[in-house]
Amino acid sequence: MVNALSGLRELRKAKGLSSKELAQQVGVATSAIWAYENGTKQIPEDHAERLAAFFDIPAEKLLAE
């Protein structure tokens, strides 16, 4: 699991989005975004792909480590 998900928080904040706004944009639960960012839940591949497409980065960056 990515320490990445602190990277997710940085990506989200760089776009000026709240967790809720990001969740709505990519079609996942707000609680999932929170859990990924805090490292309490491993990000599933399908969510990583949605997030990667939204941020225009390779999904591997979210799944790595």
Side-chain angles (χ1 to χ4, degrees):
M1 174 168 50
V2 156
N3 197 353
L5 305 167
S6 63
L8 177 58
R9 179 179 291 124
E10 292 169 12
L11 289 167
R12 175 178 61 77
K13 287 185 173 186
K15 289 229 180 212
L17 298 172
S18 68
S19 297
K20 182 178 181 177
E21 290 167 329
L22 176 58
Q24 290 172 338
Q25 290 288 323
V26 298
V28 302
T30 304
S31 60
I33 298 295
W34 183 89
Y36 303 152
E37 289 183 350
N38 290 292
T40 58
K41 184 175 180 184
Q42 189 168 11
I43 188 168
E45 190 173 332
D46 63 321
H47 288 190
E49 289 171 0
R50 291 183 208 176
L51 289 162
F54 180 79
F55 289 114
D56 195 28
I57 60 171
E60 293 77 27
K61 285 197 170 206
L62 296 172
L63 294 170
E65 193 173 306

